Amino acid sequence: MVTSSHSHLWFLLLLCCSPAHYSFAQSSLESKDDVRRSDFPDSFFFGTATSSYQVEGAYLEDGKSLSNWDVFNHRQDTNGENGDIADDHYHRYLEDIEMMDSLGVNAYRFSISWARILPKGRFGRVNPTGVLFYNKIIDNLLLKGIQPFVTICHHDFPQELEDRFGSWLSPQMQEDFVHFAETCFKSFGDRVKYWITINEPNLFADMAYIRGRYPPAHCSQPFGNCSVGNSDVEPLIVLHNMLLAHAKATRLYRDHFQAEQGGVIGIVVNSFMFEPLTDSELDREAANRTLAFNVAWALDPLVFGDYPPEMRHYLGNDLPSFSPEERKIIKGSTDFFGLNHYSTLYAKDCRYSKCIPGWDRPIRGFAYTTEERDGVPIGDRTGMVKFFVVPAGMEKIINYLKERYHNEKPLYVLENGYSPPREQNVQVQDLLNDVKRIEYHTAYLSHLAKAIRNGADVRGYFVWSLMDNYEWAEGYGPMFGLHYVDRQTLERTPKLSALWFKSFLNNNGSSFRKKNVIASASGLKADQQVQL
Ligand code: NOJ
């Protein structure tokens, strides 16, 4: 629970903190990671990211229909937390764009609520008020010189499609997605130059169809306790439909819009890095297999036209096949790769050693993933159970992609972010004084810069997130924002990290010191500031 007290005067609280407290923060900021804006090309995109269900709220306003998440959260009480109001971005988008402008970012990644644009999917009409809302966002971003990166589907879609044919379990969803994508290209494509078809299809398939934690909550034993589902097979079908939906939307864009609109289209996958738990050959193979079963599962088909051979080997006929016609559509069907990267885990072999039930199955590639080696966590803990601070993982996962796909496609890091460990009765000022987040981003950026220096074609980095928001199955507990959002008043307050990011974007990078942060927060010059 967060204790809120005059958060708008947060910088005064900072100024009033004890010197001892500050000397801790000061030394934490002087990390070994040295990174500056100038370590990245001028044309590099630095942005923040959000998604529709996580921030918009207004869940039944202006013609929007119920989405899969609306229905799921109203049915399955996740502590009463849901996206009904979220950050009320629907009504506060102008203030939020001001916040981005004040950070000095040149890009913003957001998603379009499918249920707002097509409340009944292809079985109904376009909702003009929904189109108007995103037009206003796009136009206001462009007025500020902020490039929109638009995700067409970020986990949410009209419930109608679930009820009619079981959403992503059915090939019909491909048709619906293409119809939605076409509506987006027609409505916004004159101004949107960066399209992301689907957010994290690999993670969605896992969370919704292996673990059953996202709607429609399908799973089977031993993966979870759901009333319906088959964790060994359904995720494979779901991802297959998502990839074909992506490929067909991309073909449509290329055939009918790209030449005139001049944009690019890609996809974004979630990817942890995986390290072998021990030095053994078996664990090394397990780490490689886990990468194949998580990342290459979604990306190999887009580059090579088929799933990774490792997956075919272990999954046999459970893994769907692409017809020769589909293979033609899917191969080469992305202009860029999007990567959401937060953390690294260990992988351990389950073919020859005993593992917790579930991990010893083909769907997991007979590999178990864990955060601990001999009881020692792989990195500092965060507010997400499986997210640990392992900055070198950023460089390693980029190198993995670079090598596997021969550096042929540009890559955008479309999400990277930190949520602090959750504590009881945490004070707002502690959340605002988020030195750990600054350290996290500095360290991850430093490894990103190194990957670029070593030849990786990375063109953008987006902080998840612009502001604290609804974190799916975890509700409002994890707080990834550069801005704190008061859950009662919905007032936004910049955290220290927002000021760090602003300073970094002005090329002060690692030379950023708390003195400067407090100075900019209080409107004074650094040397006029209080002694720390
Ligand atoms: C990835 C997802 O795209 C986003 O929706 C989520 O909030 C973040 N990761 C943090 O878990």
Side-chain angles (χ1 to χ4, degrees):
M1 194 187 99
V2 173
T3 313
S4 172
S5 57
H6 306 294
S7 59
H8 59 290
L9 293 177
W10 70 277
F11 60 86
L12 289 183
L13 291 172
L14 287 175
L15 289 170
C16 295
C17 288
S18 72
H21 178 77
Y22 268 149
S23 61
F24 158 74
Q26 174 93 16
S27 63
S28 310
L29 284 173
E30 285 165 0
S31 92
K32 59 187 181 329
D33 299 298
D34 190 21
V35 69
R36 289 174 160 264
R37 171 64 181 88
S38 54
D39 292 330
F40 300 86
D42 286 347
S43 58
F44 202 81
F45 286 110
F46 275 104
T48 56
T50 63
S51 88
S52 50
Y53 186 74
Q54 295 181 271
V55 298
E56 282 180 9
Y59 82 108
L60 261 188
E61 254 176 75
D62 294 339
K64 177 183 168 292
S65 68
L66 291 176
S67 74
N68 55 332
W69 276 92
D70 293 321
V71 171
F72 175 71
N73 276 339
H74 290 166
R75 233 183 251 158
Q76 313 218 348
D77 197 308
T78 46
N79 302 327
E81 294 186 333
N82 55 49
D84 289 4
I85 297 174
D87 289 342
D88 195 30
H89 176 68
Y90 188 74
H91 299 111
R92 297 169 194 242
Y93 65 93
L94 279 178
E95 178 189 348
D96 295 338
I97 293 174
E98 286 297 335
M99 271 165 19
M100 293 174 220
D101 188 38
S102 139
L103 290 175
V105 293
N106 59 2
Y108 172 51
R109 176 179 172 221
F110 64 96
S111 79
I112 302 203
S113 158
W114 193 335
R116 215 180 272 295
I117 299 287
L118 288 164
K120 287 178 168 292
R122 82 193 125 99
F123 307 98
R125 290 168 189 277
V126 174
N127 171 25
T129 326
V131 173
L132 183 67
F133 171 61
Y134 296 105
N135 271 335
K136 288 189 288 189
I137 292 193
I138 293 164
D139 290 345
N140 279 287
L141 288 172
L142 292 172
L143 276 175
K144 302 277 189 195
I146 300 173
Q147 186 73 240
F149 276 64
V150 177
T151 314
I152 297 172
C153 176
H154 193 125
H155 299 346
D156 58 331
F157 51 79
Q159 177 66 20
E160 176 98 16
L161 309 182
E162 187 61 47
D163 296 342
R164 277 188 188 251
F165 52 75
S167 72
W168 291 112
L169 271 175
S170 163
Q172 286 199 55
M173 193 68 163
Q174 298 173 28
E175 236 180 285
D176 250 286
F177 181 76
V178 173
H179 177 65
F180 176 39
E182 182 173 19
T183 310
C184 292
F185 303 147
K186 282 184 179 156
S187 310
F188 314 119
D190 54 338
R191 288 150 294 148
V192 171
K193 303 302 165 205
Y194 293 86
W195 291 105
I196 298 129
T197 52
I198 302 179
N199 180 67
E200 299 189 340
N202 54 343
L203 179 116
F204 181 82
D206 189 332
M207 294 301 283
Y209 292 91
I210 299 183
R211 299 170 200 250
R213 299 202 62 214
Y214 288 6
H218 281 210
C219 67
S220 56
Q221 293 287 351
F223 299 94
N225 242 336
C226 304
S227 54
V228 50
N230 179 342
S231 302
D232 293 303
V233 175
E234 285 187 355
L236 301 170
I237 298 168
V238 161
L239 188 100
H240 196 70
N241 285 323
M242 291 179 125
L243 293 184
L244 284 169
H246 156 86
K248 289 178 182 175
T250 301
R251 185 180 57 174
L252 178 85
Y253 184 68
R254 287 178 175 167
D255 289 352
H256 297 285
F257 298 94
Q258 198 163 37
E260 193 189 324
Q261 299 186 342
V264 286
I265 187 161
I267 197 165
V268 58
V269 296
N270 172 280
S271 184
F272 284 69
M273 182 61 203
F274 297 98
E275 298 281 357
L277 181 64
T278 70
D279 259 355
S280 73
E281 185 55 31
L282 285 179
D283 283 354
R284 261 185 268 141
E285 284 172 13
N288 282 333
R289 260 197 330 275
T290 308
L291 282 163
F293 274 69
N294 280 275
V295 193
W297 177 28
L299 293 185
D300 270 21
L302 310 187
V303 180
F304 307 126
D306 206 353
Y307 291 112
E310 304 90 308
M311 291 190 79
R312 184 67 65 199
H313 177 76
Y314 287 104
L315 290 159
N317 288 337
D318 280 346
L319 188 65
S321 297
F322 296 106
S323 68
E325 181 51 29
E326 288 171 341
R327 208 171 280 241
K328 269 193 237 146
I329 303 173
I330 201 148
K331 190 173 173 185
S333 67
T334 195
D335 294 333
F336 63 84
F337 293 137
L339 169 71
N340 292 350
H341 176 74
Y342 292 82
S343 183
T344 297
L345 292 171
Y346 294 118
K348 164 181 154 20
D349 176 69
C350 296
R351 281 176 313 167
Y352 299 98
S353 36
K354 213 169 152 35
C355 284
I356 296 174
W359 301 97
D360 54 357
R361 310 241 308 212
I363 189 71
R364 292 291 187 209
F366 297 101
Y368 167 64
T369 62
T370 173
E371 62 274 17
E372 286 188 353
R373 178 188 275 160
D374 301 329
V376 181
I378 192 163
D380 284 353
R381 293 184 186 280
T382 74
M384 297 285 281
V385 184
K386 291 285 170 193
F387 288 18
F388 292 80
V389 182
V390 188
M394 172 67 90
E395 194 182 335
K396 290 184 184 170
I397 190 67
I398 287 174
N399 286 340
Y400 172 80
L401 296 175
K402 180 175 112 183
E403 275 157 34
R404 190 159 183 120
Y405 304 115
H406 317 297
N407 212 15
E408 276 168 12
K409 304 274 177 198
L411 193 146
Y412 294 86
V413 176
L414 292 175
E415 285 182 32
N416 175 237
Y418 174 84
S419 69
R422 294 182 239 179
E423 286 163 22
Q424 287 292 313
N425 299 322
V426 63
Q427 298 294 310
V428 173
Q429 59 265 36
D430 291 334
L431 295 170
L432 294 173
N433 190 18
D434 58 342
V435 171
K436 290 279 174 208
R437 179 173 289 104
I438 299 172
E439 289 178 339
Y440 177 97
H441 284 292
T442 309
Y444 274 71
L445 275 168
S446 161
H447 283 277
L448 176 61
K450 209 163 146 215
I452 295 174
R453 274 199 299 280
N454 289 333
D457 184 5
V458 186
R459 302 192 185 173
Y461 175 90
F462 291 68
V463 173
W464 185 271
S465 175
L466 172 66
M467 55 192 162
D468 296 337
N469 59 48
Y470 177 77
E471 179 55 35
W472 308 115
E474 304 295 323
Y476 290 96
M479 296 180 177
F480 281 95
L482 295 176
H483 295 84
Y484 170 75
V485 178
D486 183 302
R487 295 289 344 134
Q488 260 70 52
T489 64
L490 300 175
E491 183 188 0
R492 285 88 159 117
T493 305
K495 299 180 189 173
L496 202 57
S497 57
L499 301 170
W500 161 79
F501 199 35
K502 180 176 178 149
S503 168
F504 169 82
L505 294 173
N506 281 319
N507 209 22
N508 291 325
S510 66
S511 59
F512 173 90
R513 293 289 177 268
K514 219 172 12 345
K515 192 160 77 165
N516 304 62
V517 173
I518 293 168
S520 57
S522 60
L524 296 175
K525 288 201 186 112
D527 40 13
Q528 293 174 293
Q529 251 318 307
V530 286
Q531 302 307 309
L532 297 174

